[in-house]
Amino acid sequence: MPDPQFVTVLGRLRTFLVHHIDTRQPRNEKTERTCIEWFESACGSAVPHSLDE
């Protein structure tokens, strides 16, 4: 069984990448925050600074 936190983050990443979310809504704001934190942790930043990243 996968780690429940991993499943939650994976679901939020999918939502963030596939759907247009309104970050004014609390759930969507949390989705965006979760994804940004995950990208920073996994990739070193939330957004790439070059094509190589």
Side-chain angles (χ1 to χ4, degrees):
M1 184 87 191
D3 175 27
Q5 184 176 358
F6 171 77
V7 172
T8 298
V9 171
L10 186 61
R12 290 190 185 272
L13 284 168
R14 180 185 177 278
T15 299
F16 183 77
L17 294 171
V18 176
H19 300 284
H20 297 283
I21 60 173
D22 179 0
T23 56
R24 295 174 292 182
Q25 301 296 319
R27 179 170 174 78
N28 293 336
E29 181 182 9
K30 185 173 182 178
T31 293
E32 181 182 51
R33 187 174 50 254
T34 298
C35 293
I36 287 171
E37 290 170 359
W38 185 88
F39 284 128
E40 287 177 347
S41 173
C43 306
S45 68
V47 295
H49 295 92
S50 71
L51 292 176
D52 293 332
E53 288 185 357

